[in-house]
Amino acid sequence: MAGPSVVVIGAGVVGAALADELSARGWTDVTVVDQGDVPATGGSSSHAPGLVFQTNGSKAMAEMARYTVEKFVGLGAFLQVGGLEVATTPERLRELHRRYGWATSWGLEAELLSPEECVVRHPLLDAGRVLGGLFLASDGLALAVPAVAAQLARAQERGVRVLARHEVLDVVAVDGRVTGVVTDKGEISADVVVCCAGIWGPRVARMVGMELPLTPLAHQLAWTGRLPELAGDVVASLPILRHQDADLYYRDRNGTLGVGYYGHRPMPVSADDILSVDAAEVMPSLMAFTPDDFADAWTETQALLPATRNAKVEQGVNGLFSFTTDNMPLMGESRDVRGFWVAEAVWVTHSAGVGRAMAEWLVNGRSNIDLHECDVNRFERHQLAPEYVLARGCQNYVEVYDIIHPLQPMEDPRPLRTSPFHVRQRELGAFFLEASGWERPHWYGVNEGLPAPSYVPNDWAARYWSPIVGAEAKATREGVALYDMTALKRLEVSGPGATAFLQRLTTGDVDKSIGSVTYCLLLDGDGGIRSDVTVARLGVDHYQVGANGELDLDWFERHRPGDVFVRDITAGTCCLGVWGPRARELVQPLTGVDLTALRYFRGARGYVGHVPVTMLRLSYVGELGWEIYTTADMGLKLWDTLMREGAIAAGRGAFASLRLEKGYRSFGVDMTFEHDPYEAGLGFAVKLGKGDFIGRDAVLERKESVRRKLTCLVLDDVVMGKEPVYHDGRAVGYVTSAAYGYTIGRGIAYAWLPAELSVPGTGVRIGYFDRLVDAVVAAEPLFDPAMERLRG
């Protein structure tokens, strides 16, 4: 036996994959427990229809799906029959072109098919209903139960124990660390416990006081009788099929057709109300079929697949699956109880990929793929409220096959979080989008009469857009505007060890004079970027950190020594960005702080009118100005004081355009855990001479082998992000951020490209829906490269 003692709770596709992957890496002191029989345990894996469509808007999810396919093929637990998605509306056909772009961006081989080609692939289709399709030959059917059996068998050969019929009654933790698991057959000691309990996950996590934003929901799957048009002697003879316009999917099995349906009303079930293995009639994850909910599905099926018009629905189930508040898995270690990990809300499609990523994380301290979208600690506290979890889980079920625009906000529950300026923003006709619960103005109706650049985007980019965006960008460049920056996470770091702590955690040298502001990166041990932050030194042992979200707070807390205190001060404070060439003219008469003497990346405390403020000379839009902070109770007074002096309010639409003109990166979009500072063009933020910091040795090695670069492109149109980039007809990279640059009069896109193609003047093409858009690599920044406006 090697490695720490691990208990994996749940022997479904995720638990089995994790046991296999851990033992393959030498951790063999592993015990897998499940309340049911193995390999058909009674959870979602036991009834999953097994359809694996790898295409996903998330690069990480696509990578995990691809590995699942590769592994299951090797195990003999995958039927690579191909996957076909069809469009019956023009809108869906455009969406399939977008999905083709995702597949290409992430390295999956995909084909766009004509209606006739769709029918050749799937002869049951009515050619008159289909406008086109997307086909991946590598998609297919995962045989979930055989996959569980095969992976557990390999793990057992390496020494892993598998204990069926062991119900977990409690997880024991002492002094904030797990020590074991109590089952109905006794206690099992453990250094690490991983919850892979699926629909029971919330119940198990609650044993250590952890709330999982997971909702089990019933999903309909029905089977027809034998169809003469299908081969009755093979498990599957046709590609798996999606008809997303009607929330339907299909697979054949031994001459019958399975019909899966997401179009019915949400049917949530509390994890606490799921029956035990022995109490369930068939298995705990199966509810009784409700034919009335399936009526529309059957009508649409008969229209799309004429062969079913003489068939009947012979059997059906309402099977439970896990949904989260943002449709992403829950992976990682509890912030409060060390050694308690979760791998939850994972469907068969991504199961082996999740198992590998979790094993890498546990054994090596990090995964080889970017998991920031999946980390269980990504949520704000309000996102863990039971009512929120239920509402968002149900809505995500409703929208599972919907066409979602990149800027489309959730509609309910809203509003949740508002800055102190919200009442004035509404008076000014703000159009709000939502981020992490915050209501953020995208533009202001009151600015409709301002002069604006002559520009109208294509129809997709024009959603959640107004000409006012250009007017606000122009007004910022020529005058002064206020931007609500309250939604940015703010952390207070204090205590005797604060300076040493931040020196250790960040790439920047923060041990400078009081009033200094430093742009830094947080790196993982492999040199990958975990976040970018600004660190303002407000006192000898007192810092304010501008962070990106809850994962930064989690990272700080995990590394915090006893003489350092970290506090999230976001809710109690607010921030206005006051930016533009007239910013000093506006603010100086209102404050005793000498703004001429306050240099770029310096801060000071003082007053704006009656309002006590902290002013940091930073700018995300590339113009003179300050981030001005105050307490939430004084926020409205700060807004009114500045607006009286002639500023305009501007929104996130203008902000995004101005940011890209200046070449500022956005973590989570432009760079993630998989990228290093030198690839991302952020090597200037790495101070190798300051001493040791997390990731220093690794990033020093990576500095010498930069093979790809985050590259600035200019074009005559606008794209939206995640589109493939081509050179000489070959896909070579993908777009991250994109917007129209109102100052430079061109579309801007940042993209990851091979280093040899990141030379200014290089021509490339971007795959945007059904066309190729010409683009050219440009030197950055596109605006004010001499930094004259920022430093003026």
Side-chain angles (χ1 to χ4, degrees):
M1 294 287 187
S5 56
V6 181
V7 172
V8 177
I9 301 173
V13 283
V14 181
L18 178 57
D20 182 32
E21 298 285 343
L22 281 176
S23 58
R25 287 163 175 77
W27 280 24
T28 54
D29 188 2
V30 177
T31 303
V32 182
V33 298
D34 199 290
Q35 63 183 335
D37 296 310
V38 176
T41 64
S44 300
S45 302
S46 301
H47 73 260
L51 286 76
V52 174
F53 290 92
Q54 299 165 84
T55 305
N56 196 293
S58 163
K59 184 172 184 283
M61 296 295 278
E63 289 180 352
M64 290 190 287
R66 175 167 46 197
Y67 179 74
T68 300
V69 169
E70 293 171 355
K71 184 176 185 181
F72 283 12
V73 167
L75 293 173
F78 195 82
L79 303 177
Q80 211 149 30
V81 294
L84 175 63
E85 302 179 47
V86 295
T88 59
T89 63
E91 294 78 14
R92 182 64 61 179
L93 185 61
R94 283 175 54 79
E95 173 70 358
L96 293 187
H97 281 277
R98 184 166 73 125
R99 293 177 63 78
Y100 173 81
W102 290 346
T104 305
S105 290
W106 314 146
L108 298 169
E109 292 188 14
E111 299 176 66
L112 289 164
L113 304 183
S114 68
E116 296 75 20
E117 290 170 325
C118 290
V119 176
V120 170
R121 299 281 189 182
H122 202 294
L124 298 191
L125 286 166
D126 181 349
R129 291 287 312 279
V130 177
L131 301 181
L134 173 66
F135 182 76
L136 270 71
S138 57
D139 286 345
L141 286 164
L143 308 178
V145 174
V148 169
Q151 291 178 99
L152 287 179
R154 297 203 314 189
Q156 286 175 295
E157 288 174 0
R158 302 183 188 112
V160 171
R161 290 194 304 164
V162 178
L163 303 179
R165 289 286 175 167
H166 279 61
E167 182 181 0
V168 173
L169 304 177
D170 196 12
V171 178
V172 183
V174 178
D175 296 328
R177 175 168 288 280
V178 296
T179 60
V181 170
V182 178
T183 76
D184 58 350
K185 293 180 173 61
E187 183 170 341
I188 306 169
S189 62
D191 303 308
V192 175
V193 174
V194 188
C195 177
C196 304
I199 53 178
W200 291 278
R203 194 160 78 190
V204 174
R206 215 174 295 129
M207 295 174 183
V208 295
M210 185 180 186
E211 292 296 329
L212 287 185
L214 183 158
T215 302
L217 283 129
H219 163 62
Q220 291 196 304
L221 176 66
W223 291 92
T224 69
R226 287 289 186 96
L227 300 180
E229 294 81 358
L230 293 175
D233 56 350
V234 295
V235 175
S237 60
L238 294 176
I240 56 175
L241 176 67
R242 268 180 175 166
H243 175 28
Q244 291 168 292
D245 284 320
D247 299 305
L248 287 161
Y249 65 80
Y250 305 93
R251 62 155 295 186
D252 68 303
R253 183 185 67 186
N254 299 324
T256 67
L257 188 69
V259 183
Y261 187 44
Y262 287 104
H264 57 79
R265 61 190 170 90
M267 305 177 192
V269 176
S270 170
D272 295 323
D273 294 336
I274 300 172
L275 296 175
S276 67
V277 171
D278 292 326
E281 185 175 343
V282 180
M283 65 177 73
S285 60
L286 292 183
M287 309 286 103
F289 188 61
T290 50
D292 289 347
D293 291 303
F294 195 72
D296 290 343
W298 187 236
T299 299
E300 181 60 29
T301 295
Q302 292 180 312
L304 182 73
L305 308 175
T308 63
R309 291 171 186 168
N310 296 320
K312 292 182 180 180
V313 174
E314 299 288 349
Q315 57 179 308
V317 297
N318 288 6
L320 292 179
F321 289 97
S322 300
F323 279 78
T324 61
T325 58
D326 61 1
N327 272 335
M328 296 296 285
L330 308 174
M331 301 168 62
E333 186 184 24
S334 164
R335 181 181 297 175
D336 300 315
V337 180
R338 296 295 184 259
F340 184 80
W341 293 68
V342 300
E344 290 289 349
V346 180
W347 293 5
V348 174
T349 299
H350 309 101
S351 58
V354 168
R356 179 181 67 170
M358 288 293 298
E360 291 170 345
W361 199 348
L362 284 160
V363 175
N364 303 323
R366 67 196 66 86
S367 171
N368 290 327
I369 66 172
D370 166 47
L371 294 178
H372 84 275
E373 297 173 298
C374 305
D375 194 312
V376 70
N377 295 298
R378 66 189 180 269
F379 299 100
E380 300 283 340
R381 287 191 63 187
H382 74 273
Q383 294 171 323
L384 301 176
E387 288 189 14
Y388 181 93
V389 173
L390 178 61
R392 293 310 307 159
C394 289
Q395 187 60 31
N396 286 334
Y397 183 90
V398 170
E399 295 176 351
V400 71
Y401 280 171
D402 284 5
I403 299 170
I404 305 294
H405 190 274
L407 295 178
Q408 183 173 328
M410 72 174 191
E411 297 299 334
D412 184 66
R414 284 178 67 189
L416 287 169
R417 308 173 82 183
T418 57
S419 77
F421 320 126
H422 184 70
V423 62
R424 295 289 186 263
Q425 292 166 344
R426 292 182 60 187
E427 292 169 359
L428 296 176
F431 177 82
F432 293 97
L433 296 181
E434 177 272 340
S436 297
W438 288 101
E439 297 294 320
R440 301 198 302 182
H442 213 57
W443 65 79
Y444 292 86
V446 71
N447 294 329
E448 186 174 11
L450 295 178
S454 177
Y455 164 72
V456 178
N458 54 70
D459 58 351
W460 183 248
R463 299 189 191 186
Y464 305 100
W465 174 86
S466 165
I468 299 171
V469 170
E472 292 175 358
K474 179 179 173 66
T476 306
R477 290 281 189 239
E478 297 178 355
V480 60
L482 304 187
Y483 289 82
D484 183 357
M485 305 300 290
T486 301
L488 293 180
K489 177 75 74 176
R490 290 174 291 285
L491 306 178
E492 181 183 76
V493 179
S494 61
T499 300
F501 168 65
L502 290 170
Q503 289 287 79
R504 170 68 177 156
L505 219 61
T506 72
T507 62
D509 185 0
V510 305
D511 192 7
K512 296 183 287 192
S513 61
I514 294 171
S516 64
V517 184
T518 308
Y519 177 77
C520 308
L521 303 174
L522 306 180
L523 302 184
D524 216 327
D526 64 350
I529 301 171
R530 290 195 61 93
S531 188
D532 63 338
V533 298
T534 55
V535 179
R537 191 170 197 174
L538 304 181
V540 175
D541 298 320
H542 182 201
Y543 295 84
Q544 179 175 302
V545 176
N548 280 299
E550 280 293 298
L551 290 184
D552 292 348
L553 175 59
D554 180 63
W555 188 252
F556 275 48
E557 286 287 359
R558 289 182 187 280
H559 292 85
R560 178 181 63 84
D563 60 350
V564 174
F565 305 94
V566 177
R567 188 165 66 100
D568 183 352
I569 61 172
T570 310
T573 55
C574 57
C575 177
L576 282 175
V578 185
W579 294 315
R582 289 188 53 241
R584 188 178 289 116
E585 177 185 332
L586 175 87
V587 181
Q588 186 62 84
L590 302 172
T591 183
V593 177
D594 184 352
L595 299 181
T596 302
L598 190 61
R599 301 187 309 277
Y600 188 49
F601 267 80
R602 294 290 299 179
R605 285 173 159 171
Y607 293 86
V608 170
H610 299 289
V611 181
V613 297
T614 298
M615 305 176 70
L616 305 182
R617 189 167 169 188
L618 306 175
S619 173
Y620 284 100
V621 302
E623 293 290 345
L624 169 69
W626 304 269
E627 292 178 357
I628 303 180
Y629 300 87
T630 190
T631 50
D633 61 319
M634 298 295 291
L636 196 57
K637 184 66 174 176
L638 176 64
W639 176 280
D640 289 344
T641 301
L642 293 168
M643 287 294 288
R644 272 199 308 267
E645 300 303 315
I648 72 154
R652 298 292 299 185
F655 178 90
S657 171
L658 300 171
R659 173 182 78 81
L660 287 184
E661 288 184 331
K662 195 59 184 168
Y664 291 143
R665 278 63 167 144
S666 174
F667 177 79
V669 180
D670 296 314
M671 70 276 193
T672 66
F673 291 4
E674 67 176 294
H675 305 114
D676 70 54
Y678 301 102
E679 297 172 327
L682 297 174
F684 67 88
V686 181
K687 306 303 180 185
L688 294 169
K690 72 160 185 172
D692 195 22
F693 54 86
I694 293 174
R696 184 185 185 279
D697 291 343
V699 83
L700 194 58
E701 289 184 19
R702 292 176 71 157
K703 180 182 180 182
E704 305 305 319
S705 57
V706 174
R707 297 185 178 87
R708 58 185 174 180
K709 286 187 177 181
L710 185 62
T711 305
C712 179
L713 306 176
V714 291
L715 53 156
D716 291 330
D717 205 338
V718 170
V719 297
M720 297 293 291
K722 300 185 178 181
E723 297 89 356
V725 180
Y726 298 88
H727 183 261
D728 289 342
R730 181 174 60 91
V732 293
Y734 59 91
V735 173
T736 58
S737 294
Y740 186 76
Y742 292 96
T743 314
I744 67 168
R746 301 288 303 278
I748 306 169
Y750 273 77
W752 282 102
L753 296 180
E756 63 271 18
L757 297 180
S758 64
V759 180
T762 302
V764 295
R765 308 185 89 184
I766 300 172
Y768 189 63
F769 290 94
D770 59 350
R771 59 195 178 93
L772 292 173
V773 178
D774 290 327
V776 178
V777 175
E780 57 171 334
L782 299 170
F783 177 78
D784 188 27
M787 305 281 283
E788 293 173 353
R789 295 171 76 101
L790 276 172
R791 300 182 186 278

